[in-house]
Amino acid sequence: MATKLRTFDVKAQPGFGTVAMICFFMLYLPIAILVIYAFNAGENIAIWEGLSLRWFVSAWHNDTVQEAAFRSLFLATVASTIATVVAAMAAIATTRTPPYRGLTFKYAMINQPLMVPEIVTAVSLLIVFSRFKVWTGYNGLGYMVLAHTAFCIPFAYLPIRARLENMDLTLERAAADLYATPWQAFRRVTLPLLVPGIIAGFMLAFVISLDDVVITEFVKSGGQETLPTYMLGQLRRTVTPEINAIATVFLALSVLLVTLFYLVNRKKT
Amino acid sequence: MASAASAIDARGVSKVFKGAGQDEVRALDNVSVAIRENEFFTLLGPSGCGKTTLLRLIAGFDFPTEGEILLHGENIALLPPYKRPVNTVFQNYALFPHMTVGQNIAFGLEMLGKPRDEINARVTEMLKLVRMEDLRDRRTSQISGGQQQRVALARALAPRPKVLLLDEPLSALDYKLRKDMQIELKRLQHDTGITFIFVTHDQEEALTMSDRIAVMSKGKILQVGAPHDIYVRPADRFVANFIGETNFLVGRIASEKAGKAKVELAAGGTLSADAPDRGAPRGSEVTIVVRPENATLVPSGKGDIAGVVENVVYFGTDTHVHLKLADGSQFIVRQQNATLASDDYKPGQKAGIAVAPGTPRILKD
């Protein structure tokens, strides 16, 4: 038996396995319970009465749920599309430039929504938008789109910037050498190579928008429930496994997107 | 008023890079060189000598701080790269990974707005030229390093550039492939009739491929000439040292007659060589160079210089004998094994060194 000497391996520390198991348990047990009870036949989210899909069916036929789900998807699609376009432009502007004073400050500004507590953003938007609502009389989804776009930008920005930074700059130089104008070089070389980063950024932004509660709760007008705020509202009343069913579908969708994000990112590296 | 025969004419070109803080790096220092049409021209020098900087200035990836660069008489120093009829083969090839071999080769022609038929015909022609006809639809990631090299060449040659720039393109290949590509490059240059400017730090590569070589060091061109000229008549110590192996001997001019100077060596003995152009006052100190292959070992007491064998290194085709001379300097004799038995000389043994007449050179220092 070969014994490794003096190489530190955290896995060899006593109790490592146990701690790891407890962590995973604490993380995934509640989710597992939630998913299991989504298939409960009974009316209660804590008493198991047999296997059934009735709550999925019930959620599917619930007009309020449907409406909120569509609103959520619409919002996520529009906000993450705009966010991705803005983020891509920001990423190109901050990577395809010689370093200058203030560049780090710009990184910080772009990533600011990641740093500032969400509740602060939420309250400030509430105040600003309520003024706008009074002045303009407009109460539509536009405010939500704006708010979601704003906090989605850094999530779209990070993978796009990472991709740009890892790109071989001689490729753009080669394009210029072969008579491509800066725009043609961007269009024919940089952009196609950037696509995986753009897709990754979009999907990340999409997921973030889809399950936002705090900012949405503060910014939404009456009748603008998204799926997460609808669920939050339901929890204040009688709770049925319908909530579990909706959460389970949500979870499946998120896992699917994150998996795609992972696969897209891995394929090209 | 450029001479029509020059493909590239660099005039007083300097490039200063602003480093971090206050330091400035003078990568090129008042460089002037004329590169002829249809020439295989090599910029040779150690890393950091400015050869790649000069290439980048010709390609348009950087702009000179001072001076002009003429392409067939027209100053292109400040044109962006996409407006210069000059193409580059990059050190890492820089093939577009999202395109096929054929699409890579077609890229430059597409950017020039050539018609589809013409592009297709030219791509076929280029694939044939680099012997890659079968791989037109392959992804560039699916072909070997040597094949990528050929695609990079075909891509750069397809738009019929006036000048082709090659930035150490063979450095990533293994020895055998590099030898093949050297011959291949020479053939391509001959077949296409395009001016090649080749950058390398490998003196052997430079000697075998070039029509003319410019040896560079510390941002300056030290000598320009045909490989034979540079090897036989190195201008200074750096060139002599960088190209091939050389013995440096210190001595004083003893006499000068009819262009021939007799030099009394510090290590004892005398050698005669062509007198320097600037003349050689008696008694002035000079450095004289002798190539190892121009010296032979003779029994002790004979020959031009005396030495003691320190080391015998066997190289297959030839043997290098390292000797120590009376003034403490080192001298290497390279002798073909056909003319030297392996145990003729042993460390510690005294020997004479005979230098072939006419081969020693006095450096202009």
Side-chain angles (χ1 to χ4, degrees):
Chain A
M1 285 276 271
T3 42
K4 278 188 209 159
L5 289 174
R6 266 175 278 150
T7 36
F8 178 77
D9 183 1
V10 72
K11 293 203 282 300
Q13 297 299 301
F16 175 83
T18 321
V19 172
M21 285 308 288
I22 291 171
C23 288
F24 278 117
F25 211 63
M26 297 298 284
L27 271 175
Y28 290 107
L29 184 69
I31 295 176
I33 291 173
L34 174 125
V35 172
I36 291 166
Y37 276 91
F39 297 92
N40 192 2
E43 302 260 331
N44 195 295
I45 58 164
I47 304 161
W48 182 257
E49 288 178 33
L51 198 65
S52 156
L53 287 176
R54 66 177 277 210
W55 296 112
F56 286 92
V57 177
S58 142
W60 182 255
H61 291 295
N62 184 332
D63 286 346
T64 326
V65 171
Q66 265 193 25
E67 205 184 293
F70 280 126
R71 192 171 291 114
S72 274
L73 288 174
F74 170 78
L75 203 55
T77 310
V78 175
S80 46
T81 304
I82 301 173
T84 307
V85 173
V86 174
M89 293 194 289
I92 291 162
T94 50
T95 51
R96 293 298 183 264
T97 169
Y100 56 89
R101 279 174 69 93
L103 189 59
T104 318
F105 177 71
K106 282 187 190 165
Y107 286 146
M109 289 308 285
I110 292 166
N111 292 323
Q112 164 270 338
L114 295 176
M115 262 76 91
V116 174
E118 226 188 326
I119 190 75
V120 175
T121 314
V123 173
S124 56
L125 286 178
L126 172 75
I127 296 166
V128 172
F129 286 164
S130 63
R131 284 278 132 205
F132 272 86
K133 284 175 190 176
V134 172
W135 288 340
T136 61
Y138 171 69
N139 271 319
L141 266 181
Y143 299 107
M144 298 258 272
V145 171
L146 269 179
H148 277 232
T149 304
F151 70 73
C152 280
I153 286 173
F155 292 96
Y157 173 77
L158 290 175
I160 297 175
R161 182 182 139 200
R163 182 97 192 147
L164 276 166
E165 280 182 339
N166 290 331
M167 207 181 283
D168 181 3
L169 278 178
T170 48
L171 293 175
E172 287 167 24
R173 214 172 281 147
D177 187 60
L178 293 160
Y179 314 106
T181 60
W183 169 249
Q184 284 172 317
F186 174 74
R187 184 61 204 76
R188 296 287 306 269
V189 175
T190 313
L191 194 58
L193 292 172
L194 197 55
V195 164
I198 290 175
I199 293 175
F202 175 82
M203 288 198 297
L204 213 55
F206 190 85
V207 172
I208 295 295
S209 162
L210 203 58
D211 73 5
D212 178 74
V213 176
V214 179
I215 291 174
T216 312
E217 187 67 28
F218 277 72
V219 171
K220 74 176 177 15
S221 306
Q224 291 184 347
E225 297 287 357
T226 63
L227 215 39
T229 60
Y230 165 79
M231 286 162 75
L232 186 68
Q234 286 300 296
L235 288 176
R236 298 197 189 110
R237 296 172 216 152
T238 42
V239 187
T240 63
E242 191 179 87
I243 289 291
N244 297 41
I246 299 167
T248 303
V249 173
F250 232 122
L251 178 70
L253 198 64
S254 293
V255 168
L256 186 76
L257 279 176
V258 173
T259 312
L260 278 176
F261 164 78
Y262 170 74
L263 289 177
V264 166
N265 249 9
R266 195 187 51 169
K267 211 176 80 182
K268 285 274 176 166
T269 46
Chain B
M1 280 257 306
S3 63
S6 288
I8 290 284
D9 195 353
R11 295 180 175 181
V13 173
S14 294
K15 176 69 188 174
V16 178
F17 289 107
K18 294 262 190 302
Q22 303 303 313
D23 342 343
E24 285 189 347
V25 183
R26 195 163 270 269
L28 283 178
D29 190 3
N30 193 19
V31 164
S32 295
V33 62
I35 298 163
R36 295 177 198 138
E37 221 170 308
N38 301 347
E39 180 169 47
F40 197 119
F41 192 90
T42 298
L43 299 170
L44 173 68
S47 62
C49 71
K51 57 190 193 301
T52 300
T53 304
L54 183 54
L55 199 77
R56 289 167 55 87
L57 294 183
I58 299 172
F61 304 138
D62 251 319
F63 304 104
T65 316
E66 288 156 31
E68 7 179 61
I69 296 170
L70 308 184
L71 175 84
H72 291 286
E74 183 201 352
N75 188 4
I76 57 161
L78 297 176
L79 286 182
Y82 56 91
K83 287 190 179 156
R84 302 184 184 205
V86 169
N87 292 141
T88 308
V89 177
F90 293 86
Q91 188 167 14
N92 66 353
Y93 315 142
L95 297 178
F96 304 126
H98 57 298
M99 298 181 196
T100 63
V101 166
Q103 288 166 338
N104 263 281
I105 298 173
F107 189 86
L109 298 163
E110 277 176 37
M111 294 302 112
L112 288 172
K114 301 279 185 210
R116 245 302 126 200
D117 298 348
E118 190 188 323
I119 294 176
N120 284 334
R122 182 73 177 152
V123 170
T124 310
E125 188 188 336
M126 294 318 294
L127 284 166
K128 203 169 162 193
L129 185 71
V130 296
R131 303 183 181 127
M132 297 262 302
E133 291 102 316
D134 305 340
L135 301 176
R136 187 177 191 138
D137 297 321
R138 289 280 192 91
R139 287 260 158 182
T140 54
S141 55
Q142 295 169 325
I143 58 177
S144 72
Q147 290 167 334
Q148 289 181 13
Q149 167 78 82
R150 284 155 191 274
V151 177
L153 268 166
R155 183 179 72 174
L157 285 170
R160 297 190 173 85
K162 296 235 170 73
V163 175
L164 185 76
L165 308 175
L166 302 108
D167 184 10
E168 307 216 19
L170 307 182
S171 58
L173 302 178
D174 61 46
Y175 183 79
K176 182 77 177 61
L177 210 50
R178 197 157 68 228
K179 291 281 148 204
D180 292 347
M181 279 311 292
Q182 287 178 7
I183 297 165
E184 182 86 6
L185 275 177
K186 204 59 196 153
R187 177 183 71 86
L188 283 172
Q189 199 262 329
H190 183 263
D191 290 0
T192 56
I194 289 172
T195 307
F196 277 33
I197 303 179
F198 186 87
V199 160
T200 185
H201 61 267
D202 183 334
Q203 45 109 358
E204 192 189 317
E205 209 163 82
L207 290 174
T208 49
M209 296 165 74
S210 320
D211 294 323
R212 286 197 307 153
I213 299 172
V215 184
M216 296 184 70
S217 173
K218 294 180 184 157
K220 288 181 188 291
I221 292 182
L222 302 179
Q223 188 174 7
V224 180
H228 181 261
D229 280 350
I230 289 195
Y231 187 79
V232 175
R233 277 183 288 279
D236 64 10
R237 178 177 279 266
F238 180 87
V239 176
N241 206 17
F242 193 73
I243 311 236
E245 268 185 306
T246 307
N247 296 301
F248 294 98
L249 298 166
V250 181
R252 281 180 194 286
I253 306 268
S255 65
E256 191 196 337
K257 208 195 303 173
K260 286 279 177 192
K262 271 209 180 322
V263 179
E264 241 163 48
L265 302 175
T270 51
L271 288 174
S272 81
D274 288 342
D277 299 337
R278 57 177 154 78
R282 271 186 62 167
S284 60
E285 192 168 282
V286 291
T287 302
I288 197 162
V289 292
V290 178
R291 295 285 184 191
E293 68 273 19
N294 293 330
T296 34
L297 288 176
V298 290
S300 182
K302 294 187 178 171
D304 303 297
I305 315 166
V308 179
V309 176
E310 280 201 316
N311 224 335
V312 181
V313 188
Y314 180 70
F315 274 92
T317 54
D318 47 30
T319 297
H320 295 191
V321 181
H322 297 239
L323 300 110
K324 190 165 204 146
L325 306 185
D327 64 342
S329 59
Q330 276 255 336
F331 195 98
I332 299 172
V333 173
R334 181 189 301 161
Q335 224 157 327
Q336 288 210 331
N337 285 334
T339 63
L340 184 82
S342 58
D343 53 356
D344 275 358
Y345 294 92
K346 292 200 173 56
Q349 193 178 333
K350 285 186 177 175
I353 302 165
V355 177
T359 58
R361 294 278 157 197
I362 295 169
L363 293 180
K364 48 169 184 185
D365 267 331

